[in-house]
């Protein structure tokens, strides 16, 4: 890994690991460092790290599920390691650079890696603006590694604003107002797939509804309003998304729903629903499709339905056909397809 090879972690240093493409980078320096702290907002990445810590018997490695680096306990760090995921929101990367500056000791270093064709140039500029310096330390096959050193008490620029807010007046049971943080899907407005599913879903007043992979909560909030005598549960693997969903439940006066951090159906184990709704993350492909469809079949009441909106319908249609007796195309619009399945096998 180019980032680890050129980070230059010294014996006895404390390392703040922001991840390499979401997964922990610090395993490559655990033998040298005094401590490595891996942080992230995705419960799946935290679980992966904890499992490896346990299996490898590492005593100087810890993990923190967090949204902000202010939530990380302990003192300052000597070095930060970070290679953003390829779909990272630029403002979220900037925010982590800003926050990491305050968690570094004087003379501490921030090591950043990324691909030239995936925005690393803009990340480098932010690093230089915050720290007042930056040097290129490595490049290989399109990947660049940069390093900045903390030489002053105050950052060189004001913190980036990652909060977005917008209103949606024209949906069923609306109007709605949403607040979204950068790094959560469709932060600057309702995406067309979510809109299509909300306009298509048939929610009955007494339904118990699950919004699977809820993001900031638009689908689950609309469903809970329509299921006024029922209940809504919103789940997502990302803590940042769930916190946005909880804020939006309050903003929209929805009292018959809750939002939970969950790896797929983990937080609703043993619960059953009349309707499961999802706009699944397209970049995760099969990794999400299999547990979503199989889990839905196990968590639906008799006669319950699974409805998803997707841009690659065959991926989900095939899996839904294996898990359910009936799968229908409810509609198509703008490249999106809404599929509905019922009769879990």
């Amino acid at each position: 890994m180019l980032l680890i090879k050129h980070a230059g972690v010294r014996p006895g240093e404390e390392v703040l690991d922001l991840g390499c493409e979401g997964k922990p980078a610090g395993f490559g320096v655990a033998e040298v460092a005094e401590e490595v702290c891996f942080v992230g907002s995705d419960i799946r990445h935290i679980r992966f790290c904890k499992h490896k810590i346990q299996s490898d018997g590492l005593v100087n490695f810890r993990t923190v599920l967090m949204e902000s680096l202010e939530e990380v306990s302990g003192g300052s760090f000597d070095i930060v390691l970070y290679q953003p995921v390829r779909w990272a929101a630029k403002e979220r990367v900037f925010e982590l650079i800003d926050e990491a500056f305050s968690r570094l000791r004087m003379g501490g270093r921030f090591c950043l890696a990324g691909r030239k064709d995936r925005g690393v140039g803009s990340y480098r500029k932010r690093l230089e603006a915050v720290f007042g310096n930056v040097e290129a330390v490595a490049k290989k096959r399109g990947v660049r590694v940069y390093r900045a050193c903390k030489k002053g008490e105050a950052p060189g620029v004001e913190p980036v604003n990652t909060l977005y807010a917008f209103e949606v007046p024209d949906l069923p049971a609306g109007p709605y107002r949403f607040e979204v943080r950068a790094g959560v899907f469709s932060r600057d407005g309702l995406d067309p797939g979510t809109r299509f599913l909300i306009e298509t879903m048939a929610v009955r007043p007494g339904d118990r509804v699950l919004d699977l992979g809820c993001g900031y909560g638009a689908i689950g909030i609309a469903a809970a309003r329509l299921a006024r005598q029922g209940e809504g549960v919103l789940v997502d693997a990302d803590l940042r998304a769930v916190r946005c969903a909880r804020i939006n439940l309050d903003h929209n006066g929805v009292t018959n729903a809750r939002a939970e951090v969950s790896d797929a159906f983990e937080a609703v184990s043993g619960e059953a629903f009349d309707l499961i709704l999802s706009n699944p993350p397209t970049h995760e492909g099969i990794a999400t499709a299999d547990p979503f469809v199989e889990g839905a079949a196990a968590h639906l009441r008799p006669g319950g339905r699974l409805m998803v909106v997707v841009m690659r319908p065959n991926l989900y249609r095939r899996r839904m056909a294996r898990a359910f007796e009936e799968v229908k195309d409810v509609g198509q619009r703008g490249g999106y397809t809404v599929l509905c399945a019922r009769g879990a096998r």
Side-chain angles (χ1 to χ4, degrees):
M1 185 190 302
L2 204 63
L3 175 62
I4 293 300
K5 183 178 179 180
H6 294 277
V9 177
R10 302 160 189 155
E13 288 193 318
E14 295 183 66
V15 179
L16 179 60
D17 181 2
L18 304 185
C20 179
E21 295 282 350
K23 299 293 181 66
F27 291 120
V29 298
E31 291 185 1
V32 176
E34 175 71 19
E35 181 190 58
V36 179
C37 179
F38 172 65
V39 301
S41 61
D42 192 314
I43 188 64
R44 296 168 298 181
H45 298 159
I46 296 296
R47 291 258 172 80
F48 169 83
C49 188
K50 285 184 175 180
H51 176 75
K52 186 165 177 59
I53 289 170
Q54 185 176 15
S55 64
D56 291 358
L58 298 174
V59 296
N60 64 333
F61 215 118
R62 64 185 173 114
T63 65
V64 180
L65 180 67
M66 61 90 223
E67 180 186 355
S68 166
L69 294 184
E70 294 178 356
E71 301 171 54
V72 180
S73 62
S76 300
F77 296 86
D78 298 293
I79 188 166
V80 175
L81 306 176
Y82 187 29
Q83 182 168 339
V85 295
R86 63 180 180 271
W87 57 84
K90 181 172 67 174
E91 297 92 337
R92 176 56 173 159
V93 176
F94 288 5
E95 182 180 35
L96 287 170
I97 293 173
D98 295 347
E99 292 179 350
F101 179 90
S102 65
R103 297 308 306 264
L104 278 170
R105 297 187 174 101
M106 194 63 65
R109 297 100 66 208
F110 192 120
C111 291
L112 171 74
R115 292 192 59 85
K116 186 178 178 181
D117 58 355
R118 293 179 185 167
V120 73
S122 64
Y123 305 158
R124 183 203 66 80
K125 290 179 181 178
R126 184 68 184 184
L127 198 62
E128 184 173 20
V130 171
F131 284 81
N133 64 91
V134 69
E135 61 175 326
V137 296
K139 63 178 180 179
K140 184 177 181 181
R141 297 176 184 173
V143 178
R144 303 290 188 268
V145 180
Y146 299 99
R147 183 168 58 221
C149 181
K150 183 173 180 178
K151 298 180 178 180
E153 294 291 346
V157 290
E158 292 295 317
V160 67
N161 180 14
T162 64
L163 179 63
Y164 292 76
F166 56 92
E167 296 184 358
V168 184
D170 58 342
L171 286 176
Y176 301 91
R177 181 179 182 274
F178 299 111
E179 286 190 6
V180 190
R181 290 282 181 183
V184 178
F185 173 67
S186 193
R187 65 190 183 276
D188 51 1
L190 192 72
D191 70 285
T194 294
R195 173 179 285 278
F196 188 27
L197 182 56
I198 292 173
E199 292 176 348
T200 306
M201 63 191 189
V203 183
R204 298 170 299 210
D207 275 347
R208 191 162 194 266
V209 184
L210 176 66
D211 180 358
L212 183 61
C214 66
Y216 61 84
I219 294 170
I221 288 169
R225 277 193 176 177
L226 292 167
R228 55 189 179 275
Q229 298 164 15
E231 181 186 10
V233 181
L234 291 66
V235 297
D236 200 288
D238 191 85
L239 174 64
R240 191 173 180 88
V242 169
R243 286 181 174 173
C244 287
R246 289 171 178 168
I247 289 170
N248 290 325
L249 285 168
D250 290 339
H251 279 330
N252 291 282
V254 176
T255 58
N256 64 332
R258 72 180 198 269
E260 303 286 350
V261 176
S262 181
D263 182 359
F265 293 86
E266 178 188 44
V268 293
S269 177
E271 299 185 42
F273 301 88
D274 301 293
L275 177 62
I276 297 176
L277 303 164
S278 186
N279 181 0
T282 56
H283 62 266
E284 294 186 6
I286 294 174
T288 293
D290 286 336
F292 273 26
V293 173
E294 293 168 7
H299 285 80
L300 282 170
R301 291 171 173 168
R305 297 149 290 146
L306 167 65
M307 295 186 73
V308 299
V309 60
V310 289
M311 295 194 75
R312 296 166 58 193
N314 287 338
L315 176 68
Y316 273 81
R317 191 183 288 115
R318 287 194 299 268
R319 284 160 176 78
M320 292 166 79
R322 290 199 297 262
F324 292 87
E325 295 177 357
E326 178 185 332
V327 180
K328 289 185 177 180
D329 286 25
V330 176
Q332 296 180 340
R333 186 171 76 192
Y336 290 91
T337 300
V338 173
L339 301 171
C340 180
R342 68 178 72 219
R345 295 187 187 277

